[in-house]
Amino acid sequence: MRRDAGTVLRAGEALLGEQETFTREQVAYLIDLAFESGLRFRAAYAEGEMLASWARHHGAPPTRAERIAAELAAVDRAARLRAEREGRPYRVYRGGPVDWETGAPVRQLGAVA
C-alpha cells in the first residue's frame, strides 16, 4: 500500500463523502493508515518526552561531536588508569598500528609480520 499524501487525502475524502459501504481493501487500508498514524504519534511523543526530560535535568542534549568527545575522554581515562595500575608510563595513542605485546607504535607494517 502506498502512503503518500494524495492517497491519504483521498481516503479521508472517501470517509466524508456519500459512500456508505466500503470494500474489504478500503477498510484494510483505512485501518493500516490509522495504525501507522498511531505508531508515528507514539514515536514522536516518546522522542518529545525524552528531549523534555533531558532539558529539565541537563539543559540542551549534547551534540554528536560532544558525545564523541566524551566517549574519547572516557577511553583516555581508562587507558591512563590501566597504565598506572600496570606500573608503566602512559603514552598517548596518535593513531596507526601498534605492537600487540608492547603497545609501542609499529613504524613499518613489514615488521609486524
Side-chain angles (χ1 to χ4, degrees):
M1 290 184 213
R2 288 181 17 193
R3 288 190 187 100
D4 59 26
T7 306
V8 173
L9 288 174
R10 282 192 299 279
E13 287 172 1
L15 288 174
L16 297 174
E18 297 180 13
Q19 183 176 350
E20 292 184 12
T21 59
F22 296 90
T23 65
R24 294 176 70 163
E25 291 80 14
Q26 288 173 319
V27 171
Y29 185 72
L30 293 170
I31 290 171
D32 184 60
L33 285 176
F35 183 74
E36 179 72 22
S37 174
L39 287 177
R40 289 180 186 208
F41 172 80
R42 184 171 59 181
Y45 185 82
E47 182 179 358
E49 284 290 312
M50 181 208 48
L51 291 174
S53 174
W54 185 278
R56 276 193 305 272
H57 299 291
H58 306 290
T63 64
R64 181 175 186 275
E66 290 169 339
R67 289 192 314 269
I68 290 171
E71 189 172 331
L72 289 174
V75 169
D76 187 63
R77 281 191 304 275
R80 287 178 188 277
L81 286 172
R82 181 175 178 182
E84 184 180 319
R85 218 177 25 248
E86 293 176 357
R88 60 178 172 79
Y90 172 74
R91 291 188 298 268
V92 176
Y93 177 66
R94 304 266 183 230
V98 295
D99 183 83
W100 182 263
E101 300 297 325
T102 65
V106 176
R107 303 285 179 229
Q108 295 179 351
L109 288 179
V112 176

